Amino acid sequence: MRIHWPRRVFAQVLLTQVAITTGVVMLVTGLFLAPLSHQLDDQAMRQALSIAQTTAAEPGLVHNLTSTEPSPGGPVQAEAERIRRATGALYIVVMDTRGVRWSHTDTPQIGKHVSTDPSTALAGREIMQIDDGTLGRSARAKVPLRDAHGTIVGAVSVGIAYDSVRERLLGTIPGLLLYAGAALAAGVLAALAVSRRLQRSTHGLAFADISALLDEREAMLHSIREAVLALDARGRIRLLNDEAQRLLELTPDAVGHALSEVLPPGRAAEVLTGQVDGVDLLTVCRGRVLIANRMPTGDGGAVVTLRDRTELELLGRELDSTHGLLDALRAQDHEHANRLHTLLGLLELGRHEAAVEFVAEVANGRRASAEQVAERVNDPLLSALLVGKSAIAAERGASLHISPNTMLPDVVVDPRDLVTVLGNLIDNALDVASLIEVELRAEGTTTVLRVSDNGPGVAPDLREQIFTEGWSTKESPAHRGRGLGLALVRRLAERYGGVARVGARAGGGAVFTVVLPETLTVRQLTEVGGVQ
């Protein structure tokens, strides 16, 4: 029968841990038993040596050995047997210098030559060994027997039954196996607990399933057009897909770093870290309008998704501009109709000269106003914006003036950014004021825009808050959210290395000032043939 390896992760881990635990327990048991056998042998030999030394130290033993003959009833045999019974030794053999036994457990052996070589002990050296003799295998020791003058007169050989050593070794095995079994059971229970926890963590998936899920996740994260950012419990980035890198202008090296280390401080960082709570939160990061949603995870981290609304916001701004153009056209239409009615009335009344003067005055006034803007502001987009906003202001009963200090004769590098800034500031002023003054001037390659109004102004404690995303006092239009205009103004200013701030206007109202460095290209004027 073929044994199949389990597919699920927890089952594989359980079997692996059980096999490892069993192997370790068996190895430890073997490593313990091997030195234990040698230790017991050594203890038995040293015990035999101790008995032999004690026997050799008996004061009357030398006298009896040298003054009597070897016999089963002799004093040497009696003394040796007394010590053997007292110590539990297998045998105690006392021999003379010829190797003849004077004592033995088996009395017929008395008077015979010993079965093993006694030369080492008779030469004056002690010896310990495991050897076979007439009584079988034993742990034995031999010591020389000396008289009062130190002369060797014989030797003492003591043996400890080897079966007793083996019994001691075998006696330790059940206890050792009991401890090993307990350790094995504890290891199996621990492995089972770990595998059950792993089963819950992996939802019972197999290694192949986990590998497939990881491959699918990587493919999905890097193919979708929505930014995905995963954070751990400490706010560090642990996953960053390609779209998130593009929108937040980050590199793959940002993984493992805290958001505060890779993003500038502001609302975007607060939204991503969860300091600002909500659904579909609007934020501006590095000049992009983003919609963020944050979902906490079970380990204390979070997954943040970001959608790019920059293009949609630009379309919304263009739609607002189109509405503004329509409003301007409608205002001009009303104004044109009123003037036609006035002209018709003058003609019907026969006041032809007055009609001619009226037409000339209207034409010259409009032309003068447009020409004045064009002379002061070189860029056509900015000039058209100011003319259109003037018409819208007139229809709303407001007045939009161009400051006498306005002078922007140089070429604008990217007029669309200036149109965005100026358009937002004028629109905000038209919503709250009846008098607006616009100032545009160049300071080298830096553009300074200033829009003042006679509205309610901005309280000092709100002068920074109004530039944050989502802050607005007006109702949001249907096609896009509110609270982004001033945020975009500040982000554009910061992108150019400039500033956007608001202050108080003399006589009441607010003054918005935006400084945009390196937005102008100074025109080089040359004279050729007297023509400048």
Side-chain angles (χ1 to χ4, degrees), residues 92-128:
I92 297 179
V93 174
V94 179
M95 68 189 78
D96 58 17
T97 54
R98 298 170 299 168
V100 176
R101 298 186 185 97
W102 285 63
S103 66
H104 199 280
T105 304
D106 185 11
T107 55
Q109 301 294 329
I110 297 175
K112 297 181 180 180
H113 198 276
V114 294
S115 60
T116 57
D117 183 16
S119 60
T120 302
L122 294 175
R125 296 193 301 272
E126 296 178 347
I127 184 173
M128 296 187 302

Side-chain angles (χ1 to χ4, degrees), residues 360-427:
E361 180 182 352
V362 169
N364 291 334
R366 296 296 298 175
R367 187 182 303 110
S369 177
E371 289 177 353
Q372 182 184 13
V373 173
E375 288 176 359
R376 293 177 176 272
V377 180
N378 176 68
D379 187 83
L381 288 181
L382 292 174
S383 300
L385 176 69
L386 291 173
V387 172
K389 295 297 184 182
S390 297
I392 295 175
E395 184 190 24
R396 294 185 182 182
S399 177
L400 191 150
H401 297 292
I402 306 299
S403 171
N405 296 327
T406 294
M407 185 58 65
L408 199 66
D410 303 315
V411 177
V412 180
V413 176
D414 191 348
R416 292 175 299 177
D417 289 343
L418 271 68
V419 167
T420 299
V421 172
L422 189 58
N424 276 303
L425 296 180
I426 294 176
D427 287 342

Side-chain angles (χ1 to χ4, degrees), residues 135-209:
L135 297 180
R137 191 171 181 80
S138 62
R140 60 182 62 184
K142 297 177 182 180
V143 299
L145 183 61
R146 303 175 186 271
D147 60 11
H149 302 288
T151 303
I152 297 175
V153 296
V156 178
S157 177
V158 177
I160 302 295
Y162 196 75
D163 290 341
S164 64
V165 178
R166 185 181 303 167
E167 288 175 1
R168 290 175 60 190
L169 177 62
L170 295 177
T172 61
I173 292 179
L176 181 62
L177 292 179
L178 180 62
Y179 285 116
L184 179 60
V188 171
L189 290 177
L192 182 61
V194 171
S195 65
R196 289 182 65 86
R197 179 179 178 86
L198 188 60
Q199 180 184 14
R200 291 192 299 269
S201 301
T202 60
H203 303 284
L205 295 174
F207 276 115
D209 298 332

Side-chain angles (χ1 to χ4, degrees), residues 73 112 163 185 268 356 412 431 446 494 509 531:
K112 297 181 180 180
D163 290 341
V356 172
V412 180
D431 290 335
T446 299
E494 292 175 348
V531 179

